[in-house]
Amino acid sequence: MSEEKAAPQSAVVIKKYANRRLYNTSTSTYVTLDDLSTMVKGGTDFLVYDAKTGEDITRSVLTQIIFEEENKGTNLLPINFLRQLIRFYGDSMQAFVPGFLEFSLENLGKEQEKFRSQMLEAWGADPFKAMQDHAQRNMAMFNDAMKVFNPFAAAMGGAVPGAPAPGKPAADPAAARDELQALKDQLAAMQQKIDTIANK
């Protein structure tokens, strides 16, 4: 029995000819890689056979569709992922990779609608902008937190303790030394508290 006859009845059979043209046997029309991509996205299964040899070349055609999509600027595959994937060729783990990737993508496909609705609920109509705003707020909070631990940042306005305020004369050296000593004492006390917490 040839591979073409063994193909699932639900799958559309595509024949690829020597001139690289693809022929959809169910519609009796020639199709392009873009057409096949649309079929995949629409959930239509198909198998591609070499018209001369009858060899199943579905895998290479699907890989070619991915290549074309990536060339259009739709970068779905991260560079590090591609590098790691190449490393698995010939590796002892190679046999496990296809099953793992298929399982992972199937789960992602099952959960994608749920994930979309959760994203909309959590982030609104533009989730990426909302995440960017959230990241900026987190960075602002981080900067504020760092100011608390920075002994040289003033409680208001970020002025350095002991430095003269704009329009005011500089404090005398003795007062500046007292303030510096007070800061050192505060740092020592803070360090002692941190050490106490760490040793608990």
CSV table of all heavy atoms in Angstrom, one decimal, residues 128-155:
chain,number,residue,atom,x,y,z
A,128,PHE,N,0.3,44.4,26.0
A,128,PHE,CA,1.7,44.6,26.0
A,128,PHE,C,2.0,46.0,26.5
A,128,PHE,O,3.0,46.3,27.3
A,128,PHE,CB,2.3,44.4,24.6
A,128,PHE,CG,2.1,43.0,24.1
A,128,PHE,CD1,1.2,42.7,23.2
A,128,PHE,CD2,3.0,42.0,24.6
A,128,PHE,CE1,1.0,41.4,22.8
A,128,PHE,CE2,2.9,40.7,24.2
A,128,PHE,CZ,1.9,40.4,23.3
A,129,LYS,N,1.2,47.0,26.2
A,129,LYS,CA,1.3,48.4,26.8
A,129,LYS,C,1.1,48.3,28.3
A,129,LYS,O,1.9,49.0,29.0
A,129,LYS,CB,0.4,49.3,26.1
A,129,LYS,CG,0.5,50.8,26.6
A,129,LYS,CD,-0.4,51.7,25.9
A,129,LYS,CE,-0.1,53.2,26.2
A,129,LYS,NZ,-0.2,53.4,27.7
A,130,ALA,N,0.1,47.6,28.7
A,130,ALA,CA,-0.2,47.5,30.1
A,130,ALA,C,1.0,46.9,30.9
A,130,ALA,O,1.4,47.3,32.0
A,130,ALA,CB,-1.5,46.7,30.4
A,131,MET,N,1.6,45.8,30.3
A,131,MET,CA,2.8,45.2,30.9
A,131,MET,C,4.0,46.2,31.0
A,131,MET,O,4.7,46.2,31.9
A,131,MET,CB,3.1,43.9,30.2
A,131,MET,CG,2.2,42.7,30.5
A,131,MET,SD,2.8,41.2,29.9
A,131,MET,CE,2.4,41.3,28.2
A,132,GLN,N,4.1,47.0,29.9
A,132,GLN,CA,5.2,47.9,29.9
A,132,GLN,C,5.0,49.0,31.0
A,132,GLN,O,5.9,49.3,31.7
A,132,GLN,CB,5.3,48.6,28.5
A,132,GLN,CG,6.4,49.5,28.3
A,132,GLN,CD,6.5,50.1,26.9
A,132,GLN,OE1,5.5,50.3,26.3
A,132,GLN,NE2,7.7,50.5,26.5
A,133,ASP,N,3.7,49.5,31.1
A,133,ASP,CA,3.4,50.4,32.2
A,133,ASP,C,3.7,49.8,33.5
A,133,ASP,O,4.2,50.5,34.4
A,133,ASP,CB,2.0,50.9,32.1
A,133,ASP,CG,1.7,51.7,30.8
A,133,ASP,OD1,2.7,52.2,30.2
A,133,ASP,OD2,0.5,51.8,30.4
A,134,HIS,N,3.3,48.6,33.7
A,134,HIS,CA,3.5,47.9,35.0
A,134,HIS,C,5.0,47.8,35.3
A,134,HIS,O,5.4,48.0,36.4
A,134,HIS,CB,2.9,46.5,34.9
A,134,HIS,CG,2.9,45.7,36.2
A,134,HIS,ND1,2.2,46.1,37.3
A,134,HIS,CD2,3.6,44.6,36.6
A,134,HIS,CE1,2.4,45.3,38.3
A,134,HIS,NE2,3.3,44.4,37.9
A,135,ALA,N,5.8,47.4,34.3
A,135,ALA,CA,7.2,47.3,34.5
A,135,ALA,C,7.8,48.7,34.9
A,135,ALA,O,8.7,48.7,35.7
A,135,ALA,CB,7.9,46.8,33.2
A,136,GLN,N,7.3,49.8,34.2
A,136,GLN,CA,7.8,51.1,34.6
A,136,GLN,C,7.5,51.5,36.0
A,136,GLN,O,8.3,52.1,36.7
A,136,GLN,CB,7.3,52.1,33.6
A,136,GLN,CG,7.9,52.0,32.2
A,136,GLN,CD,7.2,52.9,31.2
A,136,GLN,OE1,6.2,53.5,31.5
A,136,GLN,NE2,7.8,53.1,30.1
A,137,ARG,N,6.3,51.1,36.4
A,137,ARG,CA,5.9,51.4,37.8
A,137,ARG,C,6.7,50.6,38.8
A,137,ARG,O,7.1,51.1,39.9
A,137,ARG,CB,4.4,51.0,38.0
A,137,ARG,CG,3.4,52.0,37.4
A,137,ARG,CD,2.0,51.9,38.0
A,137,ARG,NE,1.5,50.5,37.7
A,137,ARG,CZ,0.8,50.2,36.6
A,137,ARG,NH1,0.6,51.2,35.6
A,137,ARG,NH2,0.3,49.0,36.4
A,138,ASN,N,7.0,49.3,38.4
A,138,ASN,CA,7.9,48.5,39.3
A,138,ASN,C,9.3,49.1,39.4
A,138,ASN,O,9.9,49.1,40.5
A,138,ASN,CB,8.0,47.1,38.7
A,138,ASN,CG,6.7,46.3,39.0
A,138,ASN,OD1,5.9,46.7,39.9
A,138,ASN,ND2,6.6,45.1,38.4
A,139,MET,N,9.8,49.6,38.3
A,139,MET,CA,11.1,50.3,38.3
A,139,MET,C,11.1,51.5,39.2
A,139,MET,O,12.0,51.8,39.9
A,139,MET,CB,11.5,50.6,36.9
A,139,MET,CG,13.0,51.2,36.8
A,139,MET,SD,14.2,50.1,37.5
A,139,MET,CE,14.2,48.8,36.3
A,140,ALA,N,10.0,52.3,39.1
A,140,ALA,CA,9.9,53.5,39.9
A,140,ALA,C,9.9,53.1,41.4
A,140,ALA,O,10.5,53.8,42.3
A,140,ALA,CB,8.7,54.3,39.6
A,141,MET,N,9.1,52.0,41.7
A,141,MET,CA,9.0,51.6,43.1
A,141,MET,C,10.4,51.1,43.6
A,141,MET,O,10.8,51.3,44.7
A,141,MET,CB,8.0,50.5,43.2
A,141,MET,CG,6.6,50.9,43.1
A,141,MET,SD,5.4,49.6,43.0
A,141,MET,CE,5.7,48.8,44.6
A,142,PHE,N,11.1,50.4,42.7
A,142,PHE,CA,12.5,49.9,43.0
A,142,PHE,C,13.4,51.1,43.3
A,142,PHE,O,14.2,51.1,44.3
A,142,PHE,CB,13.0,49.1,41.9
A,142,PHE,CG,14.4,48.6,42.0
A,142,PHE,CD1,14.7,47.6,42.9
A,142,PHE,CD2,15.5,49.3,41.4
A,142,PHE,CE1,16.0,47.2,43.1
A,142,PHE,CE2,16.8,48.9,41.5
A,142,PHE,CZ,17.1,47.8,42.4
A,143,ASN,N,13.3,52.1,42.5
A,143,ASN,CA,14.2,53.3,42.7
A,143,ASN,C,13.8,54.0,44.0
A,143,ASN,O,14.7,54.4,44.7
A,143,ASN,CB,14.0,54.3,41.5
A,143,ASN,CG,14.7,53.8,40.3
A,143,ASN,OD1,15.6,53.1,40.3
A,143,ASN,ND2,14.2,54.3,39.1
A,144,ASP,N,12.5,54.1,44.3
A,144,ASP,CA,12.1,54.7,45.6
A,144,ASP,C,12.7,53.9,46.8
A,144,ASP,O,13.1,54.4,47.8
A,144,ASP,CB,10.6,54.8,45.7
A,144,ASP,CG,10.1,55.8,44.7
A,144,ASP,OD1,10.8,56.7,44.3
A,144,ASP,OD2,8.9,55.8,44.4
A,145,ALA,N,12.6,52.5,46.6
A,145,ALA,CA,13.1,51.7,47.7
A,145,ALA,C,14.6,51.8,47.9
A,145,ALA,O,15.1,51.8,49.0
A,145,ALA,CB,12.8,50.2,47.4
A,146,MET,N,15.3,52.0,46.8
A,146,MET,CA,16.8,52.2,46.9
A,146,MET,C,17.2,53.5,47.6
A,146,MET,O,18.2,53.5,48.3
A,146,MET,CB,17.4,52.1,45.5
A,146,MET,CG,17.4,50.8,44.8
A,146,MET,SD,18.2,49.5,45.8
A,146,MET,CE,19.9,50.1,45.8
A,147,LYS,N,16.3,54.5,47.4
A,147,LYS,CA,16.6,55.8,48.1
A,147,LYS,C,16.6,55.6,49.6
A,147,LYS,O,17.3,56.3,50.3
A,147,LYS,CB,15.6,56.8,47.6
A,147,LYS,CG,15.8,57.3,46.2
A,147,LYS,CD,14.7,58.3,45.8
A,147,LYS,CE,14.9,58.7,44.3
A,147,LYS,NZ,13.8,59.6,43.9
A,148,VAL,N,15.7,54.7,50.1
A,148,VAL,CA,15.6,54.5,51.5
A,148,VAL,C,16.9,54.0,52.1
A,148,VAL,O,17.3,54.3,53.2
A,148,VAL,CB,14.5,53.5,51.8
A,148,VAL,CG1,14.4,53.1,53.3
A,148,VAL,CG2,13.1,54.1,51.4
A,149,PHE,N,17.6,53.1,51.3
A,149,PHE,CA,18.8,52.5,51.7
A,149,PHE,C,20.1,53.3,51.3
A,149,PHE,O,21.2,52.9,51.7
A,149,PHE,CB,19.0,51.1,51.2
A,149,PHE,CG,17.9,50.1,51.8
A,149,PHE,CD1,16.8,49.8,51.1
A,149,PHE,CD2,18.1,49.6,53.0
A,149,PHE,CE1,15.8,49.0,51.6
A,149,PHE,CE2,17.2,48.7,53.6
A,149,PHE,CZ,16.0,48.4,52.8
A,150,ASN,N,19.9,54.4,50.6
A,150,ASN,CA,21.0,55.2,50.2
A,150,ASN,C,21.2,56.3,51.3
A,150,ASN,O,20.4,57.3,51.4
A,150,ASN,CB,20.7,55.9,48.8
A,150,ASN,CG,21.9,56.7,48.3
A,150,ASN,OD1,22.9,56.9,49.0
A,150,ASN,ND2,21.8,57.1,47.1
A,151,PRO,N,22.2,56.3,52.1
A,151,PRO,CA,22.4,57.2,53.1
A,151,PRO,C,22.7,58.6,52.6
A,151,PRO,O,22.6,59.6,53.4
A,151,PRO,CB,23.6,56.7,53.9
A,151,PRO,CG,24.4,55.9,52.9
A,151,PRO,CD,23.3,55.3,52.0
A,152,PHE,N,23.0,58.8,51.3
A,152,PHE,CA,23.3,60.1,50.8
A,152,PHE,C,22.2,60.7,50.1
A,152,PHE,O,22.3,61.8,49.5
A,152,PHE,CB,24.6,60.0,49.9
A,152,PHE,CG,25.8,59.5,50.6
A,152,PHE,CD1,26.2,58.2,50.4
A,152,PHE,CD2,26.4,60.3,51.5
A,152,PHE,CE1,27.3,57.7,51.1
A,152,PHE,CE2,27.5,59.8,52.2
A,152,PHE,CZ,28.0,58.5,52.0
A,153,ALA,N,21.0,60.1,50.1
A,153,ALA,CA,19.8,60.7,49.5
A,153,ALA,C,18.9,61.2,50.5
A,153,ALA,O,18.7,60.6,51.5
A,153,ALA,CB,19.1,59.6,48.7
A,154,ALA,N,18.5,62.4,50.3
A,154,ALA,CA,17.7,63.1,51.3
A,154,ALA,C,16.3,62.5,51.3
A,154,ALA,O,15.9,62.0,50.3
A,154,ALA,CB,17.6,64.6,51.1
A,155,ALA,N,15.5,62.7,52.3
A,155,ALA,CA,14.2,62.2,52.4
A,155,ALA,C,13.3,62.9,51.3
A,155,ALA,O,12.4,62.3,50.8
A,155,ALA,CB,13.6,62.4,53.8
